[in-house]
Amino acid sequence: MATEEDANYPKEFGELVPWGDPAWYRGYNSPYYTKSHHDWRQKVRAFVEAEIEGNVRKWDEAKSVPKEVYTKMFAAGLLPAVVGAPWPEDFVGSGGPENFDAFHSLIFIEELGRCGSGGVLWAIMGGMGIGLPPVIHFGSDYLKQKVARKCLMGEEFICLAISEPYAGSDVANIRTTATKDPKTGDYIVNGEKKWITNGIFADYFTVAARTGGPGIGGISLILLEKTMPGIECTQMDCMGVWPSGTTYITFDNVKVPKENIIGQENAGFMYIMYNFNYERWGIIAQATKLARVCLEEAFKYANKRRTFGKKLVEHGMIKWKLAEMARQVESTHAHLEFLTYQLNTIPREEHFTHLDLIMDISLLKVQATKTFEFCAREAAQIFGGASYVRGGQGEKVERLYREVRAMAIPGGSEEIMIDLAVRQILKPIKKL
């Protein structure tokens, strides 16, 4: 919580484009942010401006982010933030912000998102952010020591492999199998995974596989390594988020040591659910920030472009578009901060069983991605033909328009999220 000392910290930060940054950047009082958050915000922004913003189009067209970016992020004291609070000091030492919490994670996402590329965001966060936490929270000491430090330092890469050609949100019905060898106790893994973020350049795969019977009670998480014979990865040619390395993976009789099981056998579904709240919260933060980027770019362009003898922003319809975008972004961000506070204050072990939290994160994911979709469209309309060309003044808007679906479908589509929220709220009602 912010204290009186924190209130004396400089009020304004950034370019101060109307609605171009969250309200607390523009001088509003907030109970959420401390001096530590202010310092962290400045640190992340400095790195993004120096190392990322000028390279985004090049990386987007190359469909990859150079490996040295990750090691530079670690050297700058930033990369371990990808796995969220608490700071993983057991593997990388202290070095993080004081009292690192969910609001530091939110700032990290928002400042990275200023680059205007979901693909760059996912290249940096999309694999390790959801692939490493199951190892950290449920893996053996052997597995933690094997992968955590090198991944957090940007020297090796890990991804989460759950979705399949036949099962996305329907996790309980995955078909990939991990059959135990009765003689050695090792596993033989067979199956396919699809839409796996960072898979093409990952060294490790946190894989959901069936080790038992049908349904949720027969699923385990197991760590596979790219060097294991029988693994084949193919980068998918997607609409957007190109540098993120979306991958189709096949496992053909892959022999995996029994020591690579993550946690308990057949308890994988619980570990996946434990992970989901943070994955969805992360997508909410990303979608909300990218919606804000669309708004900021549109506002700046509307104040520069002239038509019919006056600036675009002086036309009534353009005013309406900007105001409507701002209304949706600001209200979505306020709810995001509220739920971030809940992640900070509700004990972590209760997060994946807290029905209200699951329900509200599900609904806010829908709100955030719909807001992003609206802002991408309206920004494109304001830019006109400039948003139809890769590069130039409309570069960010053109790219983000292609990336909306990458936020609206992964982590649970809008339809799945709405259904889940209602099912969660019906559980206590049935007791009345």
Side-chain angles (χ1 to χ4, degrees), residues 103-125:
F103 283 101
H104 289 97
S105 295
L106 177 59
I107 293 166
F108 183 68
I109 293 171
E110 290 180 334
E111 288 298 322
L112 283 179
R114 285 179 55 80
C115 74
S117 169
V120 170
L121 268 173
W122 282 18
I124 293 170
M125 305 186 64

Side-chain angles (χ1 to χ4, degrees), residues 131-146:
L132 189 56
V135 177
I136 291 176
H137 296 301
F138 304 108
S140 64
D141 288 340
Y142 163 75
L143 287 182
K144 293 175 186 177
Q145 296 305 319
K146 183 179 181 67

Side-chain angles (χ1 to χ4, degrees), residues 21 70 159 177:
D21 282 307
Y70 301 88
C159 66
T177 59

